[in-house]
């Protein structure tokens, strides 16, 4: 990005962020999620770090908290309460650390100083000033310079010492300031809300709001009824400690609660601690939204200084958000196995729900039109139990001038054949039967049906390009010497792949039918066909009438099967499988009795005692079908840990939901 581009983007981001803040704080209307707003601020922050001369005092990054409310007395902080830089991904944390290493002119592989890491409590920041060891005043952060005087309220919090204990061997100065976070423990929050509901009163929204709202009460008796706690995280005054962690110890000795912290000596150790905190997040007893890492050495800490309103020597490493914003660089169209073109948004790398993503699903042209997604747009991405995130919406405020509506391609992006739109279908299709993209997807689909290990998309592409194979059937004629021609293949790896392929020459009938890649014939339909016809010959000879008599098979599938076998290229494919030594088994009869006889079960989430494939197998053995998506035809949805959107679909359609325990009980009964 050029400087001029950065300047323009910074201006747009500031305008949009201010608008969303105004809507949220003044109009009480949340038009964008906290996570998405954070993501925009993060992009702005990163751009300003690259171009520090573009930082202006009115930038949203220079704003620390809310302005002090008029009704509380104002307190000018002895030293400004600064804010922290946020990072989200391991890459961003490593970049922060690299910057520290560079600034401290450090060249060894060891860090210049250990990082002192602690959970980031999600509450309300407070400054508490003691004089001669007695609590004198307490203030909120306010705008960082001037906060609100909440002394009377803070005095009602049990974990705030009213008188400091004297630590061994340290003389306390006349004035001493401690900073930390007020929070409402989750257990207390739940109990308080139960009580409120019982009394018919309005419950509190969440522990973070509860803490902030309780401290900023004009009547201290209200605060005293709220179960609040305080964790200290900073000793402001210099009592002669050389290290941050020593000050932390001192805070404990003075009578403050301090959360579990860790001194980390490498970036890997920091990451491990961050991950451990994330896992413990729900059992900590209070809300945390990330981890704070500080340069442990106080002299280095001070020498690193402050940029804008954020000190360089500490960073907040936030936990992954379910939503993030990014910019669409391109809209690409991928050609699938059946020739259908699927649009995918290619985006600037961003961190969503724990992974860095560069692609987002757009589903189809209708979805693009509904969202009006264009190249250059800033979009909100979200994840819903899927690997590839989806586009939730476009931030119209950030749309560049002169952007063009996204149009469907006229030609296949791979083979340049004119695309067609099948009657009554949304999908745009490349009709070229010899389209290289379709050949590749078909070969990969077959390799999956044959369960061949170690055969990835790149290898298959190379084989097709070099003419080693024309279809999946040719895989079974490959020799070690052939593979040596491919990039990345040596003697051992070639031998291994040839063996892996040769090991799969015997295949059950249903898997073979699946491998053929007939339109509308998935795993379950392939089983129905195999079970009914019993042999490949019988299926190939079946008439339309015979096909429609198969249970669960309608006219659409029947037509697909007939059309497929009527095509001479496809019959040649079957012949070359045979020529290359493939032995197709016979179809097994479906179990007709059992707990799930005639029922369809869809599985979502992770099960603790069974893999997904084992659960599907159990459903089939009990006479049922394992469905892939939830529809009105679904009888049960088996819901495991971290279920996807299928669980919501089930609720919406009123389909019976089974827990893993229910499922196992039903199986045992049958
Ligand atoms: Zn094509």
């Amino acid at each position: 990005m050029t400087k001029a581009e950065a300047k323009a983007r910074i201006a747009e981001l500031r305008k949009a962020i201010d608008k969303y803040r105004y809507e949220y704080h003044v109009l009480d209307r949340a038009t964008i999620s906290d996570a998405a707003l954070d993501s925009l601020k993060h992009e702005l922050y990163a751009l300003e770090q690259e171009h520090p001369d573009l930082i202006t005092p009115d930038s949203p990054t220079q704003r620390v908290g809310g302005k002090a409310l008029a009704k509380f007395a104002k307190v000018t902080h002895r030293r400004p309460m600064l804010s922290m830089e946020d990072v989200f991904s391991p890459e961003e944390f490593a970049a922060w650390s690299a910057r520290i290493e560079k600034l401290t002119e450090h060249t060894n592989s060891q860090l210049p100083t250990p990082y002192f890491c602690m959970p980031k409590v999600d509450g309300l920041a407070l400054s508490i000033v003691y004089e001669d060891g007695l609590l004198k005043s307490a203030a909120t952060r306010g705008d960082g310079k001037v906060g609100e005087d909440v002394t009377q309220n803070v005095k009602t919090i049990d974990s705030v010492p009213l008188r400091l204990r004297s630590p061994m061997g340290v003389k306390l100065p006349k004035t001493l300031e401690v900073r930390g976070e007020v929070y409402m423990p989750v257990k207390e929050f739940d109990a308080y809300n139960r009580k409120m509901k019982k009394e018919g009163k309005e419950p509190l929204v969440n522990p973070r709001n509860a803490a902030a709202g309780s401290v900023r009460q004009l009547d201290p008796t209200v605060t005293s009824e709220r179960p609040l706690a305080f964790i200290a995280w900073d000793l402001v005054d210099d009592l002669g400690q050389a290290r941050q962690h020593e000050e932390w110890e001192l805070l404990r000795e003075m009578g403050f609660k301090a959360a579990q912290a860790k001194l980390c000596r490498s970036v890997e150790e920091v990451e491990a601690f961050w991950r451990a905190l994330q896992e413990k997040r729900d059992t900590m007893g209070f809300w945390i939204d990330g981890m704070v890492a500080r340069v442990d050495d106080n002299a280095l800490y001070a020498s690193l200084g402050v940029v804008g309103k954020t000190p360089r020597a500490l960073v907040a490493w936030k936990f992954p958000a379910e939503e993030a914003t990014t910019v669409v660089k391109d809209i690409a169209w991928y050609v699938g196995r059946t020739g259908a073109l699927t649009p995918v948004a290619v985006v600037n790398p961003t961190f969503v729900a724990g992974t860095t993503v560069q692609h987002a699903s757009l589903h189809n042209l209708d979805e693009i039109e509904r969202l009006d997604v264009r190249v250059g747009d800033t979009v909100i991405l979200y994840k819903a139990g899927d690997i590839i995130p989806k586009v939730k919406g476009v931030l119209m405020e950030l749309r560049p001038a002169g952007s063009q509506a996204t149009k469907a391609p006229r030609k296949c992006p791979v083979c340049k054949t004119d695309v067609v739109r099948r009657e009554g279908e949304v999908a745009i299709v490349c009709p070229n039967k010899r389209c290289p993209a379709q050949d590749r997807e078909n070969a990969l689909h077959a390799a999956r049906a044959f369960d061949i290990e170690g055969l990835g998309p790149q290898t298959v592409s190379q084989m097709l390009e070099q003419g080693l194979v024309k279809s999946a059937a040719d895989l079974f004629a490959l020799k070690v010497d052939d593979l040596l021609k491919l990039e990345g293949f040596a003697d051992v790896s070639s031998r291994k792949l040839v063996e892996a392929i040769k090991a799969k020459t015997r295949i059950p009938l249903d898997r073979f039918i699946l491998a053929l890649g007939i339109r509308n014939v998935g795993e379950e339909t392939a089983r129905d066909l195999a079970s009914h016809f019993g042999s490949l010959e019988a299926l190939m000879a079946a008439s339309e009438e015979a096909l429609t008599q198969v249970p669960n098979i309608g006219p659409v599938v029947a037509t697909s099967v007939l059309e497929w076998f009527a095509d001479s290229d496809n019959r040649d494919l079957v012949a070359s499988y045979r020529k290359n030594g493939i032995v197709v088994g016979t179809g097994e009869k479906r179990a007709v009795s059992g707990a799930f006889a005639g029922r369809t079960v869809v599985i979502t989430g992770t099960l603790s005692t069974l893999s997904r494939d084992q659960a599907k197998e159990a459903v089939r053995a009990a006479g049922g079908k394992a469905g892939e998506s939830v529809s009105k035809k679904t009888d049960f949805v088996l819901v495991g840990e971290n279920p996807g959107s299928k669980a919501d679909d089930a609720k919406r359609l009123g389909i019976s939901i089974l827990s893993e325990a229910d499922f196992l009980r039903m199986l045992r009964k049958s």
Side-chain angles (χ1 to χ4, degrees):
M1 197 181 261
T2 66
K3 178 120 189 183
E5 283 167 347
K7 196 175 173 185
R9 180 74 180 164
I10 283 174
E12 283 167 5
L13 283 167
R14 285 177 185 165
K15 222 173 108 192
I17 292 166
D18 276 340
K19 176 175 172 282
Y20 298 131
R21 284 184 65 102
Y22 176 79
E23 286 168 347
Y24 185 77
H25 290 289
V26 182
L27 306 180
D28 276 329
R29 205 173 63 206
T31 43
I32 178 171
S33 69
D34 283 356
L37 187 58
D38 268 358
S39 194
L40 287 178
K41 281 194 227 160
H42 184 60
E43 186 191 347
L44 175 60
Y45 183 89
L47 280 174
E48 288 181 345
Q49 290 296 304
E50 264 175 57
H51 308 281
D53 54 311
L54 296 178
I55 301 178
T56 57
D58 65 342
S59 171
T61 58
Q62 302 304 300
R63 186 200 286 269
V64 175
K67 279 246 185 285
L69 290 178
K71 49 195 174 181
F72 285 101
K74 285 176 184 161
V75 179
T76 303
H77 294 299
R78 294 166 68 231
R79 280 181 221 165
M81 285 182 88
L82 299 167
S83 59
M84 272 184 277
E85 174 181 358
D86 286 339
V87 295
F88 293 88
S89 66
E91 294 78 25
E92 287 176 340
F93 179 78
W96 173 82
S97 181
R99 209 160 69 223
I100 296 294
E101 286 165 51
K102 202 177 150 209
L103 286 166
T104 53
E105 289 172 359
H106 192 81
T107 46
N108 298 336
S109 59
Q110 281 248 306
L111 294 177
T113 160
Y115 295 136
F116 187 50
C117 302
M118 62 194 81
K120 185 173 177 299
V121 181
D122 198 5
L124 179 75
L126 276 189
S127 148
I128 307 180
V129 176
Y130 289 84
E131 214 157 271
D132 298 320
L134 293 175
L135 191 154
K136 183 180 156 248
S137 66
T140 62
R141 173 178 269 157
D143 66 0
K145 285 193 189 114
V146 178
E148 295 155 345
D149 183 347
V150 288
T151 311
Q152 293 313 313
N153 295 345
V154 169
K155 278 185 171 172
T156 69
I157 301 171
D158 286 339
S159 48
V160 174
L162 297 179
R163 174 191 288 276
L164 297 178
R165 293 156 163 267
S166 295
M168 293 279 283
V170 179
K171 194 183 173 307
L172 294 182
K174 182 164 175 56
T175 306
L176 182 144
E177 183 180 351
V178 172
R179 288 174 184 174
E181 204 88 2
V182 180
Y183 64 94
M184 191 177 281
V186 176
K187 242 164 102 182
E188 310 285 358
F189 170 81
D190 290 339
Y192 183 85
N193 269 358
R194 272 198 301 276
K195 191 170 146 241
M196 286 298 106
K197 273 181 201 156
K198 224 170 155 184
E199 294 171 8
K201 292 180 190 158
E202 196 67 24
L204 300 166
V205 178
N206 63 41
R208 187 208 308 121
N209 284 4
S214 303
V215 170
R216 296 166 79 230
Q217 288 285 338
L218 287 172
D219 179 0
T221 56
V222 176
T223 311
S224 71
E225 285 161 7
R226 303 277 174 88
L228 298 173
F230 179 80
I231 272 187
W233 40 248
D234 195 19
L235 174 61
V236 177
D237 297 278
D238 181 6
L239 303 193
Q241 281 68 39
R243 302 279 177 170
Q244 290 276 323
H245 77 268
E246 292 166 2
E247 294 187 350
W248 183 260
E249 281 304 321
L250 203 59
L251 284 170
R252 293 189 145 175
E253 288 177 39
M254 288 192 283
F256 289 98
K257 224 170 127 121
Q260 174 212 26
K262 191 173 195 278
L263 205 53
C264 299
R265 290 187 166 73
S266 67
V267 170
E268 291 73 30
E269 232 179 291
V270 177
E271 186 175 339
F273 185 60
W274 179 73
R275 290 192 190 284
L277 282 176
Q278 213 173 310
E279 272 170 31
K280 280 193 291 196
R281 188 177 187 179
D282 295 332
T283 54
M284 302 271 292
F286 47 85
W287 270 25
I288 60 173
D289 62 346
M291 182 199 77
V292 177
R294 299 155 172 257
V295 167
D296 193 44
D297 185 298
N298 276 338
L300 267 186
Y301 192 110
S303 74
L304 283 163
V306 174
V307 187
K309 282 194 176 174
T310 51
R312 280 209 186 92
L314 85 170
V315 70
W317 189 354
K318 295 280 201 77
F319 291 145
E322 302 300 310
E323 282 187 19
T325 57
T326 187
V327 175
V328 177
K329 287 195 294 191
D330 191 17
I331 291 174
W333 295 81
Y334 286 95
V335 186
R337 183 166 61 79
T338 59
L341 269 59
T342 309
V344 171
V346 183
V347 298
N348 284 336
T350 188
F351 203 63
V352 192
T355 47
T356 301
V357 300
Q358 304 193 47
H359 298 99
S361 163
L362 283 168
H363 202 48
N364 57 34
L365 192 62
D366 282 4
E367 181 77 349
I368 291 181
E369 282 168 0
R370 187 180 70 79
L371 295 165
D372 187 18
V373 180
R374 303 176 180 191
V375 171
D377 272 347
T378 302
V379 292
I380 301 174
L381 303 186
Y382 74 104
K383 271 194 181 178
D386 313 294
I387 299 159
I388 303 177
K390 294 191 171 80
V391 175
K392 183 179 180 183
V394 175
L395 297 175
M396 291 299 172
E397 291 80 6
L398 291 169
R399 169 165 287 171
S403 77
Q404 301 284 318
T406 304
K407 288 203 189 82
R410 291 223 185 91
K411 291 179 187 305
C412 168
V414 177
C415 70
K416 311 295 174 208
T417 306
D418 285 351
V419 296
V420 294
R421 236 177 143 153
R422 288 199 193 108
E423 189 94 26
E425 286 182 24
V426 191
I428 299 159
V429 176
C430 164
N432 176 10
K433 279 197 295 182
R434 290 266 62 95
C435 174
Q438 295 178 48
D439 282 346
R440 187 189 67 177
E441 292 306 315
N442 266 311
L444 281 168
H445 171 80
R448 275 193 297 272
F450 274 92
D451 195 21
I452 298 170
E453 270 169 47
L455 191 61
Q458 252 128 37
T459 307
V460 172
S461 288
Q462 277 198 68
M463 288 173 174
L464 287 162
E465 276 161 27
Q466 305 227 4
L468 291 180
V469 299
K470 285 204 174 66
S471 71
D474 299 338
L475 290 171
F476 294 92
L478 283 173
K479 297 190 175 55
V480 176
D481 286 350
D482 296 330
L483 295 185
L484 288 174
K485 294 173 198 155
L486 302 181
E487 208 175 296
F489 274 84
D491 204 39
V492 177
S493 46
S494 304
R495 212 168 286 280
K496 239 174 107 182
L497 183 54
V498 168
E499 275 167 23
I501 295 171
K502 288 275 186 287
K504 302 289 181 177
T505 46
R506 300 186 75 87
I507 185 168
L509 178 58
D510 63 305
R511 300 302 291 179
F512 187 71
I513 295 171
L514 179 68
L516 296 177
I518 303 167
R519 272 186 83 210
N520 305 312
V521 177
E523 224 172 298
E524 287 298 326
T525 306
R527 274 170 183 272
D528 285 332
L529 291 169
S531 162
H532 184 85
F533 290 103
S535 74
L536 186 62
E537 289 69 25
L539 174 64
M540 287 176 79
S543 65
E544 182 168 6
E545 207 193 346
L547 280 164
T548 44
Q549 272 163 17
V550 182
N552 309 317
I553 291 202
V556 175
V557 173
T559 308
S560 294
V561 173
L562 282 175
E563 277 178 3
W564 199 89
F565 285 111
D567 188 313
S568 64
D569 283 350
N570 292 337
R571 285 201 305 275
D572 287 348
L573 175 67
V574 174
S576 46
Y577 269 124
R578 290 228 157 105
K579 197 177 114 240
N580 291 334
I582 297 302
V583 181
V584 182
T586 53
E588 281 169 42
K589 289 275 173 243
R590 271 188 187 279
V592 286
S593 64
F596 295 109
R599 305 296 191 91
T600 300
V601 183
V602 173
I603 303 163
T604 179
T606 314
L607 303 174
S608 61
T609 59
L610 296 166
S611 75
R612 227 186 248 214
D613 281 339
Q614 285 170 331
K616 283 185 187 174
E617 208 38 66
V619 168
R620 287 172 194 135
K625 289 210 311 179
E628 289 302 325
S629 59
V630 177
S631 71
K632 282 180 193 153
K633 288 181 190 163
T634 309
D635 296 290
F636 297 104
V637 175
L638 169 55
V639 177
E641 284 285 306
N642 302 318
S645 53
K646 287 172 191 168
D648 302 329
D649 293 343
K651 275 180 211 142
R652 194 163 42 78
L653 293 170
I655 292 162
S656 304
I657 290 180
L658 298 179
S659 69
E660 187 170 350
D662 297 335
F663 178 70
L664 295 173
R665 212 173 299 125
M666 286 177 78
L667 285 178
R668 272 198 301 275
K669 274 190 189 161
S670 73

